[in-house]
Amino acid sequence: MEAISGKVLSEHGEVTAVVTILHDRTEALDKARLYEQLERASQELQEKVREATAELVRRNELLQRQAIELEQASQLKSQFLANMSHEFRTPLNAMLGYTSMLLQGVNGELLPPQMKNLGRVDSNAKHLLNIINDLLDISRIEAGKMPLHLEQFELPTLLGELLAEVEPLIHQAHLSATTDLAADLPAVRSDRQKVKQIVLNLLTNAIKFTPQGAIRVSAGYDAARDEISLSVKDTGIGIALKDQQKIFEDFRQADDSVTRQYGGAGLGLSICRRLANMLEGRITVESNLGTGSTFTLRVPREGRRS
Amino acid sequence: MTQEPLVLVVDDFQDNREMYAEYLAFSGFRVIQAANGKEALDQAFANRPDIIIMDLSLPVMDGWEATRRLKADQRTNAIPVVALTGHAMQGHSKGAMEAGCDAFVAKPCLPDQLVAEIRKMLSTPRVSAAKAEG
């Protein structure tokens, strides 16, 4: 309540009356209080928004820092793999070289059992080299240092070379191999060496996982999609449906238990998948446990990327 | 009778260097050795080999620098240099070619493969540098 008072004076200066005006300010005070509350709430809200924004900025910075750190870690890993691969190669070069020299009789003729055992040293050193090369391939692809060389080539010649290369393995494993070439196979423009590497890997896998039976390699052309396909079909142990994606991941095999029967670093198909991507193509698998698998590589007849 | 070709093998890793040297001698070549780029230059200027096998990662003076100096010197610029390295990253072969190497061979390289490469290099008349690839 607000009161304003005033005196009413006569001509002679005598007080004749006092006038008091009483003013009810309840409403105004309520409004002021409400306004104050609103002001406070608004300030609190602003403060919260400021805090939340600061938190977001902090998190963003953290995420960015983590992304950079991850990128650096990945690069370090690739660099490490590349360095290690070099460190492995230097002694392996001497092991393979001296073994080869001994086998060639540079230091005198060897007795048959010596030849046989040295042959084992040789094949194991080569096996080790293959694993190292696979690791290097992965690190090269990840570091974007795997160049692409597109060139024109014929599939029948390529398959001929591939089969000649795996012939000793097929013979050793008591398997048989056949090829099936479509009649309308066009010339292909792609990275020949990479196509060869992929199919060679599929072939050696097929041989490795086929205890008996046959390997069939086919080449076809899909005119509608303008794609060529190369398939490797085996009569081997097959892959369960649940494992069919897993096998294309790094360091994975369908059976990656410690008691697994088949060796290997589990890098082959992962490299194949990455190489196929580079060629704008893909690899698919069809398989049933116990009856065998068919792996198919499809790549554009005319590669564009380079 | 003409003398057998003289090969200079440059590698800091003794086992690999002596392995190639032994096999080259076995295959009928004359061989001299160097364990770093500096020694390679001394050997090359003093003995004028017919071909040089050059490892790239070397102490004292690396193989790229040694090759650049050999190719910049008229006494040695006609000698073919075969780069030999365990570094299989793409940049290495490119760098080797830019330094003036005439061919690039990746380790592991079996002694007989190296001899085959050397015979090929010695039998082809040199038209231009930088053609082989790693």
Side-chain angles (χ1 to χ4, degrees):
Chain A
M1 189 75 79
E2 188 183 58
I4 301 165
S5 290
K7 294 171 192 162
V8 180
L9 304 179
S10 71
E11 280 171 42
H12 313 289
E14 292 157 350
V15 175
T16 53
V18 172
V19 179
T20 301
I21 302 166
L22 294 172
H23 198 141
D24 186 353
R25 289 206 58 206
T26 316
E27 205 182 333
L29 282 171
D30 277 353
K31 272 187 185 161
R33 208 167 33 245
L34 274 175
Y35 182 75
E36 204 176 297
Q37 279 174 359
L38 207 62
E39 188 88 302
R40 214 171 25 243
S42 164
Q43 270 173 12
E44 274 169 23
L45 208 61
Q46 276 181 18
E47 189 56 35
K48 275 184 183 153
V49 169
R50 242 196 316 275
E51 274 172 24
T53 310
E55 176 67 19
L56 266 180
V57 168
R58 212 163 32 242
R59 283 192 190 189
N60 253 333
E61 281 169 0
L62 187 70
L63 272 177
Q64 272 173 9
R65 210 163 44 236
Q66 283 173 338
I68 292 168
E69 281 169 6
L70 266 179
E71 177 66 20
Q72 284 171 342
S74 170
Q75 276 176 6
L76 275 176
K77 187 196 71 182
S78 296
Q79 190 57 50
F80 172 76
L81 280 174
N83 287 347
M84 283 316 286
S85 139
H86 172 250
E87 294 305 317
F88 288 148
R89 269 155 199 274
T90 303
L92 253 184
N93 190 56
M95 287 161 70
L96 285 164
Y98 280 108
T99 309
S100 158
M101 277 165 60
L102 285 169
L103 284 169
Q104 286 178 61
V106 170
N107 303 104
E109 284 306 308
L110 298 183
L111 297 171
Q114 291 173 328
M115 286 290 274
K116 182 179 139 245
N117 288 353
L118 206 54
R120 293 197 172 171
V121 172
D122 192 51
S123 67
N124 279 283
K126 279 179 181 145
H127 183 189
L128 186 55
L129 177 65
N130 282 336
I131 296 172
I132 294 166
N133 283 342
D134 279 358
L135 276 171
L136 183 68
D137 275 353
I138 289 266
S139 58
R140 267 163 149 183
I141 296 171
E142 284 194 345
K145 284 185 178 167
M146 177 79 92
L148 207 58
H149 300 291
L150 297 184
E151 60 179 314
Q152 188 101 348
F153 60 92
E154 303 287 339
L155 290 177
T157 326
L158 182 77
L159 289 187
E161 287 171 26
L162 280 164
L163 281 168
E165 228 164 286
V166 296
E167 210 285 321
L169 290 176
I170 287 176
H171 181 76
Q172 211 174 23
H174 305 291
L175 299 170
S176 67
T178 51
T179 47
D180 176 16
L181 303 175
D184 59 345
L185 283 179
V188 181
R189 184 174 163 75
S190 189
D191 188 319
R192 188 182 199 274
Q193 193 268 329
K194 288 188 178 60
V195 171
K196 191 173 174 182
Q197 187 178 350
I198 294 169
V199 181
L200 183 64
N201 207 294
L202 298 180
L203 270 170
T204 46
N205 268 354
I207 297 165
K208 179 171 159 186
F209 292 104
T210 304
Q212 58 181 26
I215 314 278
R216 186 172 186 77
V217 186
S218 5
Y221 174 58
D222 178 347
R225 290 168 152 274
D226 199 18
E227 270 181 351
I228 55 128
S229 65
L230 293 166
S231 298
V232 177
K233 184 179 166 59
D234 65 51
T235 57
I237 59 170
I239 304 149
L241 191 62
K242 68 175 174 57
D243 294 326
Q244 288 180 10
Q245 281 314 308
K246 190 166 91 175
I247 54 170
F248 290 100
E249 295 169 18
D250 290 349
F251 312 112
R252 299 296 290 273
Q253 286 190 335
D255 172 15
D256 48 16
S257 66
V258 287
T259 55
R260 68 198 174 133
Q261 189 183 348
Y262 298 92
L267 284 171
L269 283 174
S270 146
I271 292 172
C272 287
R273 174 180 54 83
R274 288 159 196 257
L275 290 177
N277 279 343
M278 283 183 71
L279 301 175
E280 304 155 80
R282 63 198 185 283
I283 300 175
T284 51
V285 59
E286 280 171 67
S287 182
N288 285 306
L289 265 185
T291 57
S293 310
T294 305
F295 284 86
T296 305
L297 166 70
R298 289 185 179 81
V299 289
R301 180 187 55 81
E302 184 101 17
R304 280 176 300 277
R305 233 183 258 166
S306 72
Chain B
M1 195 187 103
T2 53
Q3 267 193 322
E4 293 303 331
L6 179 65
V7 185
L8 169 58
V9 179
V10 189
D11 196 326
D12 62 323
F13 188 49
Q14 189 185 4
D15 288 4
N16 280 332
R17 186 179 68 241
E18 291 180 355
M19 172 181 83
Y20 290 131
E22 184 179 344
Y23 194 79
L24 281 163
F26 173 76
S27 306
F29 292 90
R30 291 177 300 131
V31 191
I32 47 176
Q33 303 179 33
N36 61 54
K38 177 84 180 52
E39 279 182 33
L41 291 182
D42 294 344
Q43 288 278 16
F45 294 140
N47 298 299
R48 313 286 178 90
D50 295 286
I51 189 165
I52 299 170
I53 308 304
M54 181 77 78
D55 186 20
L56 293 175
S57 309
L58 295 169
V60 188
M61 181 193 293
D62 66 37
W64 293 279
E65 182 57 28
T67 304
R68 261 191 294 277
R69 295 199 187 188
L70 287 166
K71 291 297 178 183
D73 194 303
Q74 60 175 16
R75 290 171 292 172
T76 49
N77 65 3
I79 303 172
V81 176
V82 179
L84 178 66
T85 181
H87 279 293
M89 287 309 234
Q90 193 196 358
H92 272 250
S93 59
K94 203 162 155 274
M97 291 308 175
E98 280 164 9
C101 291
D102 301 271
F104 183 89
V105 176
K107 274 185 199 166
C109 176
L110 293 177
D112 48 347
Q113 289 171 339
L114 186 67
V115 165
E117 182 67 29
I118 290 172
R119 293 218 161 100
K120 196 179 86 191
M121 295 290 295
L122 289 177
S123 66
T124 44
R126 293 184 351 96
V127 183
S128 73
K131 57 171 177 31
E133 196 184 327

